[in-house]
Amino acid sequence: DALRLFILSDSPPEKDVQWSEQGMLASYKFLQKLWMLHKKIKKKLELEKVEENQNQNLEKFTNQMINKISNNLENFSYNVIVANIYETYNFFNKYIDNKINIKELKNNYIKILILFTPSIPHFTSECLEDLGYDYDIEWPSVNENFLKEDKVDYVIQINGKKRAILNESRD
């Protein structure tokens, strides 16, 4: 999987891969970090009680990732999928320390692992097996309600130069 991750992350499919041992080592180390995150999530799933508080951030992030990765697969943008994997790692690494609804965490984490399957299949297979997931794997569907943003970025330009970005409500 480290080799596959390195080849996919290096460049778009229409360009040749520039081999480097440092890039290969970086991919291997990132997979190790993903495995440590998986262990952290599994520990959280085993230790925590089911929380009733429902946080929409995880559901929203998962649906955005489903949309992004699905579109990137269709467009053969594999290097962007690897960037999405890094983005997901950063999100979960920060999010896991909060109080979380365990059922929601497990469902969304399984969806994320399924999204990673085309890029790092052996890793995701191990993680799913470690979680006790033995169902048929189906590509997750997007809930369009979570893709709508309440706020929009408005770029302010004066004489062709960006001066500010306003994050305001859609209306």
Side-chain angles (χ1 to χ4, degrees), residues 51-85:
E51 297 279 334
E52 290 301 320
N53 61 340
Q54 202 97 11
N55 192 341
Q56 298 294 323
N57 289 342
L58 182 59
E59 194 75 33
K60 185 175 183 176
F61 179 81
T62 303
N63 278 282
Q64 288 173 343
M65 272 303 134
I66 293 169
N67 188 44
K68 286 179 185 178
I69 291 178
S70 297
N71 290 337
N72 291 331
L73 272 174
E74 290 173 10
N75 296 329
F76 301 105
S77 301
Y78 302 120
N79 55 332
V80 181
I81 292 172
V82 174
N84 295 141
I85 292 173

Short mmCIF file of all heavy atoms in Angstrom, two decimals, residues 51-85:
data_model
loop_
_atom_site.label_atom_id
_atom_site.label_comp_id
_atom_site.label_asym_id
_atom_site.label_seq_id
_atom_site.Cartn_x
_atom_site.Cartn_y
_atom_site.Cartn_z
N GLU A 51 -22.85 8.26 23.38
CA GLU A 51 -23.25 9.62 23.73
C GLU A 51 -24.50 9.97 22.94
O GLU A 51 -24.66 9.57 21.80
CB GLU A 51 -22.13 10.61 23.36
CG GLU A 51 -20.84 10.40 24.11
CD GLU A 51 -20.87 11.01 25.50
OE1 GLU A 51 -21.61 11.97 25.71
OE2 GLU A 51 -20.13 10.52 26.35
N GLU A 52 -25.34 10.75 23.54
CA GLU A 52 -26.57 11.15 22.86
C GLU A 52 -26.39 12.40 22.01
O GLU A 52 -27.14 12.64 21.10
CB GLU A 52 -27.69 11.40 23.89
CG GLU A 52 -28.17 10.13 24.55
CD GLU A 52 -28.72 9.11 23.56
OE1 GLU A 52 -29.41 9.51 22.60
OE2 GLU A 52 -28.42 7.93 23.72
N ASN A 53 -25.36 13.19 22.34
CA ASN A 53 -25.19 14.43 21.59
C ASN A 53 -24.83 14.13 20.15
O ASN A 53 -23.97 13.33 19.85
CB ASN A 53 -24.14 15.34 22.24
CG ASN A 53 -22.77 14.71 22.29
OD1 ASN A 53 -22.65 13.50 22.20
ND2 ASN A 53 -21.76 15.53 22.45
N GLN A 54 -25.53 14.75 19.26
CA GLN A 54 -25.37 14.53 17.83
C GLN A 54 -24.62 15.73 17.27
O GLN A 54 -25.10 16.85 17.31
CB GLN A 54 -26.75 14.39 17.20
CG GLN A 54 -26.75 13.68 15.92
CD GLN A 54 -27.10 12.23 16.00
OE1 GLN A 54 -27.56 11.74 17.01
NE2 GLN A 54 -26.88 11.55 14.92
N ASN A 55 -23.44 15.50 16.76
CA ASN A 55 -22.64 16.57 16.19
C ASN A 55 -22.66 16.42 14.68
O ASN A 55 -22.30 15.38 14.15
CB ASN A 55 -21.21 16.51 16.72
CG ASN A 55 -20.43 17.75 16.41
OD1 ASN A 55 -20.79 18.52 15.51
ND2 ASN A 55 -19.36 17.97 17.14
N GLN A 56 -23.09 17.45 13.98
CA GLN A 56 -23.25 17.40 12.53
C GLN A 56 -21.92 17.53 11.80
O GLN A 56 -21.86 17.27 10.60
CB GLN A 56 -24.21 18.50 12.07
CG GLN A 56 -25.61 18.37 12.63
CD GLN A 56 -26.32 17.14 12.11
OE1 GLN A 56 -26.17 16.77 10.97
NE2 GLN A 56 -27.08 16.50 12.98
N ASN A 57 -20.85 17.93 12.49
CA ASN A 57 -19.57 18.14 11.81
C ASN A 57 -19.05 16.87 11.15
O ASN A 57 -18.58 16.90 10.02
CB ASN A 57 -18.51 18.68 12.78
CG ASN A 57 -18.78 20.10 13.18
OD1 ASN A 57 -19.53 20.81 12.52
ND2 ASN A 57 -18.18 20.51 14.27
N LEU A 58 -19.11 15.75 11.86
CA LEU A 58 -18.60 14.50 11.33
C LEU A 58 -19.41 14.04 10.13
O LEU A 58 -18.86 13.63 9.10
CB LEU A 58 -18.58 13.42 12.42
CG LEU A 58 -18.02 12.07 12.02
CD1 LEU A 58 -16.59 12.20 11.53
CD2 LEU A 58 -18.10 11.10 13.18
N GLU A 59 -20.71 14.11 10.25
CA GLU A 59 -21.60 13.70 9.15
C GLU A 59 -21.39 14.59 7.93
O GLU A 59 -21.32 14.11 6.79
CB GLU A 59 -23.06 13.78 9.62
CG GLU A 59 -24.03 13.08 8.72
CD GLU A 59 -23.98 11.57 8.84
OE1 GLU A 59 -23.71 11.05 9.93
OE2 GLU A 59 -24.20 10.92 7.80
N LYS A 60 -21.25 15.88 8.17
CA LYS A 60 -21.02 16.83 7.08
C LYS A 60 -19.67 16.57 6.39
O LYS A 60 -19.58 16.51 5.17
CB LYS A 60 -21.07 18.26 7.62
CG LYS A 60 -20.96 19.33 6.59
CD LYS A 60 -21.15 20.69 7.22
CE LYS A 60 -21.13 21.77 6.17
NZ LYS A 60 -21.40 23.09 6.73
N PHE A 61 -18.63 16.36 7.20
CA PHE A 61 -17.30 16.10 6.65
C PHE A 61 -17.31 14.81 5.83
O PHE A 61 -16.75 14.77 4.74
CB PHE A 61 -16.27 16.01 7.78
CG PHE A 61 -14.89 15.72 7.28
CD1 PHE A 61 -14.09 16.73 6.78
CD2 PHE A 61 -14.39 14.42 7.29
CE1 PHE A 61 -12.82 16.47 6.31
CE2 PHE A 61 -13.12 14.15 6.82
CZ PHE A 61 -12.33 15.17 6.32
N THR A 62 -17.94 13.77 6.36
CA THR A 62 -17.98 12.49 5.66
C THR A 62 -18.68 12.62 4.31
O THR A 62 -18.20 12.11 3.30
CB THR A 62 -18.67 11.42 6.52
OG1 THR A 62 -17.99 11.31 7.77
CG2 THR A 62 -18.70 10.07 5.84
N ASN A 63 -19.81 13.30 4.28
CA ASN A 63 -20.53 13.47 3.03
C ASN A 63 -19.75 14.32 2.03
O ASN A 63 -19.79 14.05 0.82
CB ASN A 63 -21.92 14.07 3.27
CG ASN A 63 -22.90 13.01 3.70
OD1 ASN A 63 -23.39 12.25 2.88
ND2 ASN A 63 -23.16 12.92 5.00
N GLN A 64 -19.05 15.32 2.51
CA GLN A 64 -18.20 16.10 1.62
C GLN A 64 -17.08 15.25 1.04
O GLN A 64 -16.75 15.36 -0.15
CB GLN A 64 -17.62 17.32 2.35
CG GLN A 64 -18.65 18.38 2.64
CD GLN A 64 -18.11 19.51 3.50
OE1 GLN A 64 -17.08 19.37 4.15
NE2 GLN A 64 -18.82 20.62 3.52
N MET A 65 -16.49 14.37 1.86
CA MET A 65 -15.44 13.47 1.37
C MET A 65 -15.98 12.47 0.36
O MET A 65 -15.32 12.18 -0.63
CB MET A 65 -14.79 12.72 2.53
CG MET A 65 -13.65 13.43 3.18
SD MET A 65 -12.35 13.82 2.01
CE MET A 65 -12.06 15.50 2.46
N ILE A 66 -17.17 11.94 0.62
CA ILE A 66 -17.77 11.02 -0.34
C ILE A 66 -17.93 11.71 -1.69
O ILE A 66 -17.58 11.15 -2.74
CB ILE A 66 -19.14 10.50 0.16
CG1 ILE A 66 -18.98 9.62 1.40
CG2 ILE A 66 -19.87 9.73 -0.93
CD1 ILE A 66 -20.27 9.29 2.11
N ASN A 67 -18.41 12.94 -1.66
CA ASN A 67 -18.60 13.70 -2.89
C ASN A 67 -17.26 13.98 -3.58
O ASN A 67 -17.11 13.76 -4.79
CB ASN A 67 -19.34 15.01 -2.58
CG ASN A 67 -19.73 15.76 -3.81
OD1 ASN A 67 -20.23 15.18 -4.77
ND2 ASN A 67 -19.51 17.05 -3.80
N LYS A 68 -16.28 14.45 -2.82
CA LYS A 68 -14.97 14.79 -3.40
C LYS A 68 -14.29 13.57 -4.00
O LYS A 68 -13.82 13.60 -5.14
CB LYS A 68 -14.05 15.40 -2.33
CG LYS A 68 -14.38 16.80 -1.93
CD LYS A 68 -13.39 17.24 -0.85
CE LYS A 68 -13.72 18.60 -0.28
NZ LYS A 68 -12.77 18.98 0.79
N ILE A 69 -14.21 12.50 -3.23
CA ILE A 69 -13.47 11.32 -3.68
C ILE A 69 -14.19 10.65 -4.86
O ILE A 69 -13.55 10.20 -5.81
CB ILE A 69 -13.22 10.35 -2.52
CG1 ILE A 69 -12.22 10.99 -1.55
CG2 ILE A 69 -12.70 9.00 -3.01
CD1 ILE A 69 -11.90 10.19 -0.32
N SER A 70 -15.52 10.63 -4.83
CA SER A 70 -16.26 10.07 -5.96
C SER A 70 -15.97 10.86 -7.24
O SER A 70 -15.73 10.27 -8.30
CB SER A 70 -17.76 10.08 -5.68
OG SER A 70 -18.06 9.25 -4.59
N ASN A 71 -16.01 12.18 -7.14
CA ASN A 71 -15.72 13.03 -8.31
C ASN A 71 -14.28 12.86 -8.78
O ASN A 71 -14.01 12.81 -9.98
CB ASN A 71 -16.00 14.50 -8.00
CG ASN A 71 -17.48 14.79 -7.87
OD1 ASN A 71 -18.31 14.04 -8.38
ND2 ASN A 71 -17.81 15.85 -7.17
N ASN A 72 -13.34 12.76 -7.84
CA ASN A 72 -11.94 12.60 -8.21
C ASN A 72 -11.68 11.23 -8.86
O ASN A 72 -10.84 11.13 -9.76
CB ASN A 72 -11.03 12.79 -7.00
CG ASN A 72 -11.01 14.22 -6.54
OD1 ASN A 72 -11.19 15.14 -7.33
ND2 ASN A 72 -10.82 14.43 -5.25
N LEU A 73 -12.38 10.21 -8.41
CA LEU A 73 -12.24 8.89 -9.06
C LEU A 73 -12.76 8.94 -10.50
O LEU A 73 -12.13 8.39 -11.40
CB LEU A 73 -13.01 7.83 -8.28
CG LEU A 73 -12.28 7.12 -7.16
CD1 LEU A 73 -13.22 6.21 -6.40
CD2 LEU A 73 -11.11 6.34 -7.69
N GLU A 74 -13.88 9.60 -10.68
CA GLU A 74 -14.45 9.70 -12.03
C GLU A 74 -13.54 10.49 -12.97
O GLU A 74 -13.48 10.21 -14.16
CB GLU A 74 -15.83 10.36 -11.97
CG GLU A 74 -16.89 9.48 -11.34
CD GLU A 74 -18.21 10.21 -11.13
OE1 GLU A 74 -18.37 11.32 -11.64
OE2 GLU A 74 -19.06 9.63 -10.43
N ASN A 75 -12.83 11.48 -12.42
CA ASN A 75 -11.95 12.32 -13.24
C ASN A 75 -10.51 11.80 -13.28
O ASN A 75 -9.63 12.49 -13.81
CB ASN A 75 -11.95 13.76 -12.70
CG ASN A 75 -13.31 14.39 -12.82
OD1 ASN A 75 -14.08 14.08 -13.73
ND2 ASN A 75 -13.64 15.26 -11.89
N PHE A 76 -10.24 10.63 -12.69
CA PHE A 76 -8.90 10.04 -12.65
C PHE A 76 -7.89 10.96 -11.97
O PHE A 76 -6.72 10.97 -12.32
CB PHE A 76 -8.41 9.67 -14.05
CG PHE A 76 -9.30 8.70 -14.75
CD1 PHE A 76 -10.14 9.11 -15.77
CD2 PHE A 76 -9.32 7.36 -14.37
CE1 PHE A 76 -10.97 8.21 -16.40
CE2 PHE A 76 -10.15 6.46 -15.01
CZ PHE A 76 -10.98 6.89 -16.04
N SER A 77 -8.34 11.70 -10.98
CA SER A 77 -7.46 12.60 -10.22
C SER A 77 -7.00 11.90 -8.95
O SER A 77 -7.37 12.26 -7.84
CB SER A 77 -8.20 13.90 -9.87
OG SER A 77 -8.64 14.54 -11.03
N TYR A 78 -6.16 10.89 -9.14
CA TYR A 78 -5.75 10.06 -8.00
C TYR A 78 -4.87 10.82 -7.02
O TYR A 78 -4.93 10.57 -5.82
CB TYR A 78 -5.03 8.81 -8.51
CG TYR A 78 -5.88 8.00 -9.43
CD1 TYR A 78 -5.48 7.74 -10.74
CD2 TYR A 78 -7.11 7.48 -9.02
CE1 TYR A 78 -6.27 6.99 -11.60
CE2 TYR A 78 -7.90 6.73 -9.87
CZ TYR A 78 -7.47 6.49 -11.16
OH TYR A 78 -8.25 5.76 -11.99
N ASN A 79 -4.06 11.74 -7.52
CA ASN A 79 -3.22 12.51 -6.61
C ASN A 79 -4.07 13.40 -5.71
O ASN A 79 -3.71 13.66 -4.56
CB ASN A 79 -2.17 13.32 -7.37
CG ASN A 79 -2.78 14.23 -8.41
OD1 ASN A 79 -3.85 13.94 -8.96
ND2 ASN A 79 -2.10 15.31 -8.72
N VAL A 80 -5.22 13.84 -6.18
CA VAL A 80 -6.12 14.65 -5.35
C VAL A 80 -6.79 13.76 -4.30
O VAL A 80 -7.04 14.20 -3.18
CB VAL A 80 -7.17 15.38 -6.23
CG1 VAL A 80 -8.09 16.23 -5.39
CG2 VAL A 80 -6.48 16.22 -7.29
N ILE A 81 -7.04 12.50 -4.64
CA ILE A 81 -7.61 11.57 -3.67
C ILE A 81 -6.64 11.38 -2.51
O ILE A 81 -7.05 11.33 -1.35
CB ILE A 81 -7.95 10.22 -4.33
CG1 ILE A 81 -9.10 10.40 -5.31
CG2 ILE A 81 -8.31 9.17 -3.29
CD1 ILE A 81 -9.41 9.19 -6.16
N VAL A 82 -5.36 11.29 -2.82
CA VAL A 82 -4.35 11.16 -1.76
C VAL A 82 -4.36 12.41 -0.87
O VAL A 82 -4.27 12.32 0.36
CB VAL A 82 -2.96 10.88 -2.34
CG1 VAL A 82 -1.90 10.89 -1.26
CG2 VAL A 82 -2.96 9.55 -3.08
N ALA A 83 -4.53 13.57 -1.49
CA ALA A 83 -4.65 14.81 -0.71
C ALA A 83 -5.90 14.75 0.19
O ALA A 83 -5.87 15.23 1.33
CB ALA A 83 -4.70 16.02 -1.63
N ASN A 84 -6.99 14.17 -0.32
CA ASN A 84 -8.19 14.00 0.49
C ASN A 84 -7.95 13.06 1.67
O ASN A 84 -8.51 13.26 2.75
CB ASN A 84 -9.35 13.47 -0.36
CG ASN A 84 -9.82 14.42 -1.43
OD1 ASN A 84 -10.15 13.98 -2.54
ND2 ASN A 84 -9.84 15.70 -1.16
N ILE A 85 -7.12 12.05 1.47
CA ILE A 85 -6.79 11.13 2.56
C ILE A 85 -6.02 11.88 3.66
O ILE A 85 -6.30 11.72 4.84
CB ILE A 85 -5.98 9.93 2.03
CG1 ILE A 85 -6.88 9.06 1.13
CG2 ILE A 85 -5.42 9.10 3.18
CD1 ILE A 85 -6.14 7.94 0.42
#
